[in-house]
Amino acid sequence: MAVVWKEKQLEAEGRGKERASLFQPPCKRASRVNICVGAVMLLAIAALAVISALSIVSPPNAMDIRARLVPPSKEHLLGTDHFGRDLFSRVAYGGRVALKVGLGSTVMAALLGVSLGGWAGYRGGWWDETIMRIVDGLMAFPGVLFAIMLVTVLGPGMKNTILAIGFANLPLFARITRASFLSARNTLYVEAARALGARPRHIVWRHVFPNSIGPIVVQATVTCSTAILTEASLSYLGLGIQPPYPSWGRMLKEAQPYMGRAPWLVLVPGLAVFFTVIALNLLGDGLRDWLDPNTR
Amino acid sequence: MQYLSRRTAALLVTLVIACTITFVVFHIIPGDPALLMLGTEADPEVLTGLRQELGLDLPLHVQYLNWLKAVLAGDLGFSTRLKRPVAGLIGERLPVTISLAVLSMLLTLVISIPAGAYAATHHGQPIDYIIVFASQIGMAIPHFWLGILLILLFSMYWKVLPPGGFVQWSADPWKAFLSLVLPAFALATHRVASLTRITRASMLDALTQDYIRTGQSKGLPKLSLIYKHALKNSLMPIVTVAGMQFASLLAGSIVAEEVFALPGLGRLLLQAIGYRDLPLVQGIALFIAIVVVLVNFVTDILYMILDPRVRYK
């Protein structure tokens, strides 16, 4: 799933001429609709997480042995699982986990990747060659695989999941940042700044970096959706978030033996992942078109 | 020719770096692999024994060079739990994973290229929007969830396809094929969606080119115009993405194999993780990385064959 990051990289690096013409001609209005819909959907997930954090709903691990595998009803909005735990509270808690892992690993990947890529693009030469070869080597490991490798040696759990997914997603940020630093080098405004006697550090921070921020932001939304998918896969495999705390992937795994009797148990967590990913994808698509100077 | 040699050199460098990364992940980050494998309560003597067996008592650079030499000779290590060479274990499980990858790649190509081309030629019409909308949905469905839903529908409610497990090709080819249908579909969905988008966009570009207008004014039949001229010229991004998709299928099938209980490479990896059999985990990870690098290399070569301009760059 998340392993299609190379395609996403193609798109994000702007080699995606194929991408830009998807809504031909791309127009600001369509991109604004995408951004708004995506943002509203994300707010809904965030609201769910807040509901869980403020313990408005029952605790996610509270069991009620008398009410096992109860279908959705007034008392249990989304039904209960095989331990009689309320599915709604669990999905809400899972939303918290997904957002934490998604945001945490995206921030980590962005910080590391942008610094590495920026350094490579800024220094050029030997630095550039070395850093980019390592990044190429990292790209040989499809996202899920690298996360699995890291979690194997680090051990499961929330913190390590964030670390593993963050690290696995760093190469794309490095590539994008480097590409935009390289293209900024030859622009007129950098030449003008240099002619006026600005120091390299000033040029990077005040001119090059602000002009590269667009693709980085777009990549961040894409990475966040990939990260949430990866977290769900890892937890499904039992390598991510550990029980009894619920995560959407883990809930799917636990529900599988009961799905014939209680299909809502596999429907709801999967829908939650799907909903979040589509929200982030819409937001990313919208931002991409909106930030694209060729869009009118 | 120059392009080819440059690409080959880059390939070798990437391979060595991928090996190094694997080594670093499994040897430097965790501290003591032997401790990680046996747990903290292990008998000190057993620990020393395992350290010696794995060569962990040697200096790190010696370990690295020994390991790299072995890998170059095709030796991916020795499984501590199953007491067998990793390469042999991979070889046993590979056919399942490869058949799954090939089947879902075929599905992807057969569905997405016509769908993308159809959407592009009907640009702006309802069918175009339907295809774009469907691909948006296909991109977001987690494939293991789709797999579970497919099992629920086709194996539990309708009982037409097996819910999981695998019958060897040699035992009963038809049954083997049937057990791969659902996982292949689950794995293909995301790829169909993204390849359809790429095909559509690439075709839209090609359809606005001058040679299409020339063909139109010459009165060429519409079908030949679309499939012979436009599609052929929009193949480049399609080939690139399809190549990457095929490589990614090897890793992507880890989760799918778990959902459908297929005895492939992914399952072997998960078992190895469960046993804390680090040499096996390391060997499989490295194997997948090498295959990914090689597939990407072949894609680049295909690129060169398809587009003569690349050769002169």
Side-chain angles (χ1 to χ4, degrees):
Chain A
M1 83 189 32
V3 278
V4 276
W5 59 345
K6 284 228 174 171
E7 296 153 44
K8 291 186 175 158
Q9 164 223 338
L10 264 188
E11 294 173 359
E13 268 182 354
R15 267 197 279 168
K17 197 174 78 188
E18 54 268 29
R19 179 59 198 74
S21 50
L22 196 62
F23 295 107
Q24 218 175 26
C27 61
K28 289 275 186 216
R29 180 130 54 81
S31 68
R32 238 175 264 144
V33 171
N34 276 351
I35 293 176
C36 289
V37 174
V40 168
M41 287 167 79
L42 270 185
L43 279 179
I45 301 280
L48 205 64
V50 169
I51 286 175
S52 169
L54 297 178
S55 9
I56 294 173
V57 286
S58 56
N61 291 328
M63 296 187 207
D64 182 0
I65 301 297
R66 285 161 306 165
R68 282 190 302 190
L69 301 174
V70 173
S73 62
K74 233 186 236 163
E75 220 167 299
H76 297 285
L77 215 53
L78 296 175
T80 61
D81 70 0
H82 54 290
F83 287 128
R85 297 177 294 195
D86 182 59
L87 194 60
F88 185 75
S89 330
R90 287 179 76 71
V91 168
Y93 191 94
R96 248 165 102 187
V97 172
L99 289 185
K100 251 191 231 169
V101 174
L103 288 178
S105 50
T106 303
V107 168
M108 189 188 142
L111 282 180
L112 287 177
V114 169
S115 335
L116 276 177
W119 189 245
Y122 170 65
R123 293 301 297 257
W126 184 83
W127 276 105
D128 183 29
E129 212 33 56
T130 314
I131 293 180
M132 292 329 281
R133 282 294 85 79
I134 295 177
V135 167
D136 279 352
L138 281 174
M139 306 264 305
F141 301 88
V144 191
L145 179 67
F146 203 67
I148 289 179
M149 277 163 68
L150 286 177
V151 167
T152 308
V153 292
L154 294 172
M158 169 86 90
K159 215 168 58 190
N160 290 342
T161 308
I162 293 178
L163 268 176
I165 299 175
F167 208 80
N169 281 298
L170 140 189
L172 287 184
F173 281 102
R175 287 199 155 207
I176 291 162
T177 313
R178 173 179 172 269
S180 52
F181 267 49
L182 284 184
S183 66
R185 250 193 201 168
N186 305 319
T187 53
L188 276 176
Y189 60 84
V190 167
E191 206 177 305
R194 206 179 293 140
L196 287 170
R199 274 175 311 172
R201 182 171 300 195
H202 175 86
I203 297 179
V204 166
W205 284 113
R206 298 301 295 270
H207 301 286
V208 178
F209 187 65
N211 274 292
S212 327
I213 202 84
I216 297 175
V217 170
V218 173
Q219 182 56 37
T221 47
V222 175
T223 302
C224 199
S225 93
T226 315
I228 287 174
L229 272 174
T230 313
E231 184 272 316
S233 322
L234 283 179
S235 300
Y236 178 85
L237 297 176
L239 300 170
I241 310 303
Q242 292 302 295
Y245 285 100
S247 97
W248 292 336
R250 177 117 218 131
M251 289 163 72
L252 280 173
K253 177 81 200 174
E254 286 173 1
Q256 226 177 328
Y258 306 96
M259 67 181 175
R261 268 191 296 164
W264 60 91
L265 282 180
V266 291
L267 278 176
V268 176
L271 266 177
V273 181
F274 174 61
F275 190 81
T276 316
V277 170
I278 219 170
L280 283 162
N281 286 354
L282 281 177
L283 193 66
D285 277 358
L287 280 175
R288 195 190 328 258
D289 292 339
W290 193 59
L291 291 169
D292 185 353
N294 299 325
T295 313
R296 254 170 305 216
Chain B
M1 225 37 233
Q2 207 195 350
Y3 175 79
L4 194 64
S5 54
R6 245 201 355 251
R7 270 301 296 148
T8 315
L11 166 82
L12 294 177
V13 173
T14 313
L15 280 179
V16 171
I17 290 175
C19 290
T20 314
I21 291 171
T22 316
F23 183 83
V24 168
V25 168
F26 285 98
H27 288 255
I28 292 179
I29 295 171
D32 187 353
L35 205 64
L36 194 71
M37 288 164 75
L38 296 174
T40 40
E41 281 148 41
D43 185 9
E45 259 174 53
V46 181
L47 263 177
T48 338
L50 184 66
R51 277 199 197 109
Q52 252 164 18
E53 189 189 325
L54 296 174
L56 294 173
D57 45 353
L58 300 168
L60 209 57
H61 66 275
V62 179
Q63 280 183 47
Y64 173 65
L65 288 178
N66 284 346
W67 180 75
L68 201 60
K69 247 186 264 163
V71 169
L72 286 179
D75 173 11
L76 289 172
F78 196 81
S79 158
T80 44
R81 166 84 184 215
L82 300 168
K83 304 283 176 217
R84 289 183 50 203
V86 172
L89 287 166
I90 292 178
E92 264 168 34
R93 302 295 194 96
L94 204 55
V96 180
T97 304
I98 295 279
S99 348
L100 181 57
V102 169
L103 195 59
S104 44
M105 200 62 227
L106 281 179
L107 263 174
T108 306
L109 292 174
V110 165
I111 300 174
S112 59
I113 292 180
Y118 196 78
T121 50
H122 294 75
H123 181 54
Q125 293 170 23
I127 184 74
D128 181 29
Y129 288 108
I130 292 172
I131 291 176
V132 169
F133 182 72
S135 73
Q136 192 67 265
I137 288 180
M139 301 269 287
I141 293 185
H143 76 271
F144 55 97
W145 180 52
L146 184 65
I148 295 174
L149 295 185
L150 289 175
I151 295 177
L152 193 64
L153 219 58
F154 287 92
S155 317
M156 300 185 80
Y157 289 156
W158 295 337
K159 299 193 172 39
V160 283
L161 286 164
F166 184 69
V167 183
Q168 289 303 325
W169 287 106
S170 49
D172 187 343
W174 178 242
K175 273 195 178 151
F177 173 75
L178 283 185
S179 51
L180 288 179
V181 170
L182 289 184
F185 253 104
L187 272 175
T189 308
H190 184 282
R191 290 165 178 84
V192 168
S194 79
L195 201 60
T196 302
R197 283 161 67 118
I198 303 271
T199 309
R200 172 180 176 275
S202 183
M203 277 289 276
L204 279 178
D205 269 355
L207 284 173
T208 57
Q209 300 293 320
D210 285 342
Y211 55 79
I212 297 294
R213 203 175 312 138
T214 310
Q216 248 166 353
S217 49
K218 271 202 313 194
L220 283 181
K222 204 177 157 201
L223 275 182
S224 113
L225 207 55
I226 293 170
Y227 287 98
K228 214 170 136 204
H229 297 268
L231 188 63
K232 219 172 171 183
N233 278 289
S234 46
L235 269 182
M236 297 286 287
I238 300 176
V239 167
T240 319
V241 173
M244 288 164 179
Q245 287 184 335
F246 186 69
S248 76
L249 270 169
L250 283 175
S253 69
I254 297 173
V255 192
E257 282 173 20
E258 175 71 10
V259 176
F260 291 95
L262 292 172
L265 208 55
R267 272 254 152 147
L268 184 66
L269 178 69
L270 290 173
Q271 277 169 11
I273 294 173
Y275 292 151
R276 306 228 124 272
D277 187 344
L278 287 192
L280 187 52
V281 180
Q282 181 180 343
I284 297 172
L286 181 63
F287 176 77
I288 294 179
I290 290 175
V291 174
V292 169
V293 174
L294 288 179
V295 171
N296 285 344
F297 178 72
V298 172
T299 315
D300 273 2
I301 303 297
L302 265 182
Y303 220 95
M304 193 184 84
I305 295 169
L306 278 174
D307 188 350
R309 282 171 303 182
V310 175
R311 278 174 241 168
Y312 301 113
K313 254 212 289 207

